[in-house]
Amino acid sequence: MRAILRILFWAAALVIVAVGALAWWYVYRPLPQLDGSAPLPGLHDAAAVDRDAWGVPHIRAGSLNDLVETQGYVMAQDRLWQMDLLRRVARGELSEIFGETALKLDRQYRTLGFRRAAERDLGLLDDESRSSLEAYARGVNRFIDQHENRLPLEFALFGYKPRPWEPTDSLVITGYMYQTLTNTWTAELNRAKVSERVGADRALELFSQESEMDHFVTGGRDQAGPRHRKGDEDDEDEVKSDKVLKADSRNPVRVPSPPPAQEPGAVRWPGVQDWLASESDGVHWGLGSNNWVVSGAHTASGKPILSNDTHLELTV
């Protein structure tokens, strides 16, 4: 009996050691280097990277290009797979790693043509901007070269390695961000179609040209700008977002029925999908950025303060 227990003990110990070794190799080994030095041949002078208690890097460099190249290296340390994923989305190359399930999305982004736009825009940039993009790419590629055999875990899971970073990769991601922040184009197309059929005046009955977010928060009604129409004074503060009709070409929001009593908690996937879609629409229409300014007459330094708060959905 003792021999059996001894064998089981050593077998369990070997399994634990093996699991620990795999976790170290695939998870901990690729983690960012926080101490020491790393050679970046493109730098003209040494650059320093200090991470605070939250792991946020603070970079000091002698020139803009040195700063940007170091930033590329540090960004690749922290976010290389996310960077690769975003450029693949924008270029329409997700199906290369995810298969046919991503073909529809790839077709959408290839139709938008961010890759072609990035290649065109790179040739239109001034020398300083182009040099910065090239320096950033050098930093990213230096990290990829140094860590070819210890890339982040996601690359091992999907069985591929990232290709070198190009200046246009930064530009296509900018296009992707632009697309995520301008997703009202379907509503604008619907409005145009309705206006074409029934006329602009009748279309106004269906599509509000303004909302409560179009008005200044403070400053008096005389500063509300051209969108502020005469006669709005009485009900301006009573406008509610749910009273402003917005067109959307996507499927209408459907609230899923509760599961049958005989199946408590058994919400099938279609019901979950409907709920997620309706919640996504609610979050989407509730998004909006804001900003405010404090006059220097009200600050200790005598200088004005500008603050802005940009709202984005959780997407990762």
Side-chain angles (χ1 to χ4, degrees):
M1 185 65 180
R2 289 183 178 180
I4 295 176
L5 290 176
R6 188 178 299 110
I7 292 173
L8 291 175
F9 171 80
W10 283 110
L14 288 174
V15 170
I16 293 173
V17 170
V19 170
L22 289 173
W24 177 84
W25 184 265
Y26 287 106
V27 179
Y28 292 96
R29 192 173 64 100
L31 291 179
Q33 175 185 348
L34 303 182
D35 302 302
S37 61
L40 272 70
L43 298 184
H44 291 87
D45 296 298
V49 180
D50 297 313
R51 292 182 181 263
D52 59 23
W54 300 101
V56 177
H58 301 266
I59 304 172
R60 299 192 308 275
S63 68
L64 176 61
N65 277 358
D66 284 358
L67 175 69
V68 174
E69 184 170 343
T70 307
Q71 181 184 8
Y73 186 91
V74 173
M75 185 68 74
Q77 275 189 319
D78 292 348
R79 300 277 182 170
L80 182 59
W81 192 75
Q82 184 181 4
M83 294 165 64
D84 187 67
L85 186 68
L86 289 178
R87 68 172 169 178
R88 284 182 175 275
V89 173
R91 288 181 177 273
E93 298 174 350
L94 280 179
S95 55
E96 292 181 3
I97 57 175
F98 293 117
E100 293 185 5
T101 186
L103 276 176
K104 183 178 179 180
L105 194 62
D106 281 350
R107 291 192 185 102
Q108 174 186 336
Y109 277 93
R110 292 199 180 200
T111 301
L112 291 172
F114 290 143
R115 177 185 61 80
R116 298 187 299 273
E119 292 172 353
R120 177 202 63 204
D121 291 348
L122 184 66
L124 299 175
L125 291 177
D126 58 80
D127 292 341
E128 182 180 29
S129 299
R130 186 185 183 102
S131 179
S132 293
L133 288 177
E134 291 171 348
Y136 184 86
R138 285 196 303 272
V140 176
N141 290 331
R142 185 60 177 173
F143 177 84
I144 294 175
D145 291 341
Q146 291 179 352
H147 297 79
E148 183 179 5
N149 295 319
R150 49 192 178 104
L151 293 167
L153 174 63
E154 294 87 350
F155 291 105
L157 292 176
F158 289 103
Y160 80 100
K161 293 184 178 181
R163 66 172 185 272
W165 193 266
E166 302 175 9
T168 52
D169 289 329
S170 299
L171 294 177
V172 295
I173 291 178
T174 301
Y176 167 78
M177 288 301 300
Y178 172 82
Q179 187 270 338
T180 62
L181 295 173
T182 56
N183 51 7
T184 59
W185 60 272
T186 53
E188 293 171 3
L189 287 177
N190 285 338
R191 179 185 298 172
K193 292 176 182 177
V194 172
S195 299
E196 183 181 10
R197 293 197 175 194
V198 303
D201 292 338
R202 180 62 62 86
L204 281 174
E205 298 177 10
L206 294 174
F207 300 95
S208 174
Q209 297 291 336
E210 62 178 28
S211 73
E212 59 184 351
M213 291 187 290
D214 293 325
H215 300 291
F216 288 97
V217 178
T218 61
R221 291 187 172 90
D222 58 331
Q223 298 184 23
R227 294 175 182 259
H228 183 72
R229 301 193 304 258
K230 184 177 180 180
D232 285 348
E233 290 82 357
D234 295 335
D235 60 356
E236 179 178 351
D237 294 334
E238 298 176 2
V239 177
K240 303 298 181 184
S241 59
D242 58 352
K243 296 180 180 178
V244 180
L245 179 62
K246 299 179 183 293
D248 194 344
S249 64
R250 291 171 291 184
N251 294 330
V253 174
R254 299 189 301 275
V255 179
S257 303
Q262 65 272 21
E263 299 179 10
V267 181
R268 296 184 177 86
W269 176 237
V272 174
Q273 283 183 309
D274 289 342
W275 182 83
L276 290 173
S278 65
E279 289 301 302
S280 177
D281 286 342
V283 170
H284 170 73
W285 293 123
L287 291 175
S289 304
N290 59 74
N291 62 75
W292 49 265
V293 180
V294 176
S295 166
H298 304 291
T299 65
S301 66
K303 297 180 179 180
I305 298 175
L306 168 65
S307 175
N308 74 295
D309 179 16
T310 53
H311 295 12
L312 295 174
E313 300 177 52
L314 296 175
T315 56
V316 178

